[in-house]
């Protein structure tokens, strides 16, 4: 049997990390078994589905590197791949269910259903359809249909017995039919419900395995009943555990970013995101943590996905991101930083390749996310300089800072070579001549040049700023010390 799996998102928003993990597991399962990965867009919720969401899903999957074998833009023999284009198929199969009396028309209006629901709740009962239209006589039903009263179609769920399946990850799962009620398969407006449409689509697209979140477990018995009613072979089901926030509750916006696109904007790279998502439930040997997508395609086994919920740990993601950034070749790392900064409004196209390379080397292992480049390079990307006053105020209380900053500016201005080597030699020479430790000399200068106490290497800072900006900032800081420091008036 050739493995065929699908990722079937509803285009009502961006690609959430939970959906991205589901897509990844389906993709990896297909690749590990030489199968096919299908993308299907379940856009029958016309009020909420948007083309922007469709494009966001495409962009998110492609950013992760999850190219689909069949689906929009990769048409195959099982299309169309938008549910909104498959309505004739749903009507066709509904007639089959109608002919076998597996479904019946329900003429209850939304107002009637809501009134009964409120009555059930008031009486302490769980809300469920009471089967009123199922009990209509044949003449009553024929009369209602002839009068063209709006009708939904409900599945005639067995009133006894159970519906069960052997889940790949959860062993035997059983539901008593009496708790399932008669669910709607086709709404009165002619649109299919989720459970009905996905059964028709999965059958026609020859899906062999349905890998999805365990929040869909309650849908599965209804879908199994539909497969049985059609006489179709059901796919194997695998329900993966949900993703929780650090506080143990279901992952949501209050835990921070939840979409793949938002994490890209935070500076995560796709290699790390794929690695991190894969380990939210799956493990290889319990110890190894770093994998490429190509390695995962070879190593992934669905049976190694655990049953317990996974915790989304942002610190772990940032660590993993830093590890994958280190694994990139230096030219690739420079290109990623350059592209990210450009998207953040800092176009480096006018900078030399040497300048961009020096910037990335200067940030070094501080680069845990691409956004760190924006933070650590702000001193040379933005003017005017934003200074951390809590770092600068103590400098005003130190002696001789102003004169030393001016001396340093003169040495930098006079450095005709202006290279990392020459700058280091000039500033070390100044420190030796004044009998100072290098750190004592450059501590205040670092704040004057970068605005804070933490930055890339000092000589790289000067070089990246360029001669004119470095000299100007040192002299402006010296002037501020001379105007505001109580020690300046005392000649200290």
């Amino acid at each position: 049997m050739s493995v065929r799996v699908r990722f079937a998102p509803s285009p009502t928003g961006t690609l959430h990390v939970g959906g991205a993990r589901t897509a990844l597991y389906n993709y990896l399962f297909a690749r590990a078994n030489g199968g096919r990965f299908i993308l299907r867009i379940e856009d029958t919720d016309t009020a909420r589905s948007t083309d922007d969401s469709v494009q966001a899903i495409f962009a998110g999957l492609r950013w992760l590197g999850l190219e689909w074998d069949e689906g929009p833009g990769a048409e195959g023999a099982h299309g169309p791949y938008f549910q909104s284009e498959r309505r004739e198929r749903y009507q066709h199969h509904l007639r089959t269910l109608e002919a076998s009396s597996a479904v019946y028309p329900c003429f209850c209006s939304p107002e009637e259903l809501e009134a009964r629901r409120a009555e059930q709740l008031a009486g302490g009962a769980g809300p469920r359809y009471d089967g009123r239209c199922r009990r209509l006589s044949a003449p009553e039903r024929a009369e209602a249909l002839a009068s063209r009263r709006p009708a939904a179609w409900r599945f005639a769920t067995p009133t006894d017995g159970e519906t069960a399946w052997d889940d790949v990850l959860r062993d035997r799962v059983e539901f008593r039919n009496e708790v399932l009620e008669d669910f709607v398969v086709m709404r009165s407006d002619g649109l299919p419900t989720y459970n009905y449409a996905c059964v028709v689509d999965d059958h026609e697209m020859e899906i062999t395995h349905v890998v999805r979140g365990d929040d869909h477990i309650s849908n599965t018995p209804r879908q199994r009943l539909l497969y049985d009613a059609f006489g179709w072979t059901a796919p194997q089901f695998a329900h993966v555990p949900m993703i929780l926030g650090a506080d143990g509750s279901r992952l949501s916006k209050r835990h921070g970013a939840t979409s793949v696109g938002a994490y890209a904007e935070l500076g995560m790279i796709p290699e790390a995101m794929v690695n991190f998502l894969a380990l939210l439930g799956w493990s290889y040997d319990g110890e190894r943590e770093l994998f490429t997508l190509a390695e995962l395609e070879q190593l992934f086994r669905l049976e190694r996905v655990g049953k317990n919920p996974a915790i989304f740990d942002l610190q772990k993601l940032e660590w993993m991101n830093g590890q994958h950034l280190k694994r990139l070749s230096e030219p690739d790392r420079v290109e990623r930083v350059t592209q990210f900064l450009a998207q953040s409004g800092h176009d480096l196209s006018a900078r030399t390749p040497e300048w961009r390379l020096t910037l990335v080397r200067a940030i070094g292992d501080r680069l845990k996310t691409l956004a760190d480049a924006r933070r650590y390079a702000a001193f040379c990307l933005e003017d005017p300089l934003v200074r951390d006053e809590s770092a600068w105020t103590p400098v005003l209380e130190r002696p001789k800072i102003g004169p030393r900053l001016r001396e340093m500016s003169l040495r930098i201005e006079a450095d005709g070579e202006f290279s990392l080597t020459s700058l280091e030699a000039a500033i070390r020479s100044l420190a030796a001549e004044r009998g100072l430790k290098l750190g004592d000399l450059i501590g205040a200068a670092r704040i004057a040049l970068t605005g804070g106490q933490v930055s890339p290497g000092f000589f790289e800072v000067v070089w990246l700023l360029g001669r004119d900006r470095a000299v100007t900032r040192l002299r402006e800081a010296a002037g501020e010390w001379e105007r505001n420091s109580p020690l300046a008036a005392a000649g200290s």
Side-chain angles (χ1 to χ4, degrees):
M1 177 181 64
S2 177
V3 166
R4 291 178 59 83
V5 295
R6 48 74 166 177
F7 176 54
S10 175
T12 57
T14 55
L15 181 61
H16 187 279
V17 294
R21 185 193 62 171
T22 297
L24 175 63
Y25 281 3
N26 276 280
Y27 171 89
L28 294 177
F29 183 63
R31 293 293 177 266
N33 290 278
R36 305 279 286 177
F37 173 58
I38 294 98
L39 175 63
R40 184 174 73 229
I41 302 299
E42 299 192 338
D43 59 343
T44 54
D45 186 346
T46 55
R48 299 173 60 220
S49 297
T50 68
D51 185 62
D52 286 346
S53 294
V54 171
Q55 298 306 316
I57 290 168
F58 292 168
L61 292 174
R62 287 179 172 135
W63 182 75
L64 291 169
L66 309 184
E67 289 291 339
W68 48 97
D69 301 305
E70 296 176 28
E75 302 300 327
H78 300 81
Y81 297 94
F82 283 87
Q83 284 188 336
S84 59
E85 300 173 10
R86 299 178 58 82
R87 293 182 185 179
E88 186 278 329
R89 303 305 304 155
Y90 308 134
Q91 292 292 342
H92 169 78
H93 289 293
L94 180 66
R95 291 192 288 272
T96 299
L97 294 177
E98 184 183 359
S100 65
S101 299
V103 296
Y104 61 89
C106 176
F107 306 99
C108 300
S109 69
E111 293 76 18
E112 290 172 330
L113 292 172
E114 182 56 36
R116 281 181 233 154
R117 171 185 167 85
E119 187 178 321
Q120 289 170 334
L121 289 172
R128 56 183 288 119
Y129 181 64
D130 60 8
R132 185 164 305 191
C133 289
R134 184 173 182 173
R135 296 191 297 271
L136 291 176
S137 66
E140 290 174 324
R141 186 170 295 155
E143 180 183 354
L145 288 171
S147 67
R148 297 186 178 278
R149 287 176 56 186
W153 287 86
R154 290 183 180 271
F155 186 80
T157 303
T159 56
D160 57 6
E162 64 183 21
T163 299
W165 71 95
D166 293 317
D167 197 279
V168 175
L169 301 179
R170 297 175 177 275
D171 302 322
R172 189 73 172 171
V173 182
E174 301 175 348
F175 280 80
R176 298 196 315 278
N177 290 332
E178 64 188 57
V179 306
L180 297 178
E181 77 172 353
D182 290 356
F183 55 93
V184 174
V185 297
M186 187 73 73
R187 301 183 183 91
S188 59
D189 60 5
L191 291 176
T193 60
Y194 164 76
N195 283 315
Y196 174 63
C198 79
V199 165
V200 171
D201 292 345
D202 286 347
H203 171 72
E204 292 199 342
M205 295 180 184
E206 301 181 10
I207 300 303
T208 61
H209 297 75
V210 173
V211 182
R212 59 189 180 189
D214 60 9
D215 54 329
H216 281 284
I217 283 182
S218 61
N219 290 317
T220 307
R222 296 171 175 84
Q223 294 171 15
R224 291 281 315 202
L225 286 169
L226 284 166
Y227 278 106
D228 291 344
F230 279 120
W232 296 340
T233 300
Q236 288 187 264
F237 290 90
H239 291 91
V240 301
M242 69 174 59
I243 302 175
L244 305 179
D247 60 358
S249 63
R250 186 168 181 173
L251 190 67
S252 65
K253 289 182 179 179
R254 65 190 181 86
H255 295 107
T258 57
S259 73
V260 167
Y263 282 102
E265 292 172 1
L266 289 174
M268 305 303 169
I269 61 175
E271 293 89 341
M273 201 69 195
V274 163
N275 191 164
F276 179 74
L277 289 173
L279 295 183
L280 288 178
W282 174 84
S283 67
Y284 176 57
D285 57 11
E287 296 182 4
R288 183 179 173 186
E289 294 187 290
L290 298 179
F291 300 88
T292 65
L293 179 58
E295 289 171 333
L296 290 168
E297 289 175 7
Q298 298 298 317
L299 299 173
F300 184 82
R301 298 294 181 271
L302 190 57
E303 294 77 10
R304 293 194 64 86
V305 175
K307 299 179 181 179
N308 296 323
I311 303 297
F312 193 99
D313 184 342
L314 181 57
Q315 289 185 329
K316 184 65 172 288
L317 173 57
E318 290 176 345
W319 171 83
M320 194 169 285
N321 202 73
Q323 296 301 307
H324 278 278
L325 280 168
K326 289 179 183 177
R327 287 181 158 199
L328 299 178
S329 67
E330 194 168 61
D332 193 1
R333 190 159 55 249
V334 171
E335 181 62 22
R336 304 278 187 112
V337 167
T338 300
Q339 290 179 357
F340 183 84
L341 291 176
Q343 293 165 2
S344 304
H346 303 292
D347 185 2
L348 303 186
S349 59
R351 301 286 189 174
T352 66
E354 181 187 11
W355 191 94
R356 295 194 292 269
L357 176 60
T358 301
L359 174 64
V360 172
R361 285 180 174 175
I363 296 171
D365 289 345
R366 296 182 183 89
L367 193 68
K368 299 295 188 297
T369 73
L370 294 175
D372 289 330
R374 184 174 55 206
R375 179 158 62 100
Y376 285 110
F379 72 92
C380 61
L381 297 175
E382 301 172 358
D383 281 309
L385 177 68
V386 178
R387 186 185 293 152
D388 180 359
E389 293 303 323
S390 66
W392 176 248
T393 299
V395 173
L396 298 176
E397 300 173 359
R398 291 166 53 190
K400 301 181 180 179
I401 292 299
R404 289 174 183 167
L405 292 176
R406 287 194 181 278
E407 279 192 290
M408 186 181 292
S409 74
L410 291 170
R411 296 294 175 99
I412 292 172
E413 189 174 40
D415 183 357
E417 182 179 332
F418 199 76
S419 66
L420 291 175
T421 302
S422 65
L423 286 168
E424 181 173 358
I427 294 170
R428 286 187 181 277
S429 175
L430 176 60
E433 291 171 15
R434 298 294 176 262
L436 299 170
K437 293 180 179 178
L438 183 63
D440 292 336
L441 178 63
I442 67 176
R446 183 187 300 277
I447 300 172
L449 294 174
T450 70
Q453 294 174 310
V454 179
S455 75
F458 182 76
F459 308 114
E460 285 84 354
V461 164
V462 177
W463 188 86
L464 289 165
L465 278 171
R467 188 196 315 274
D468 292 344
R469 279 207 293 175
V471 167
T472 298
R473 288 187 184 182
L474 289 170
R475 289 177 179 171
E476 287 176 348
E480 187 173 342
W481 183 89
E482 291 160 357
R483 290 189 300 273
N484 299 311
S485 174
L487 297 176
S492 299

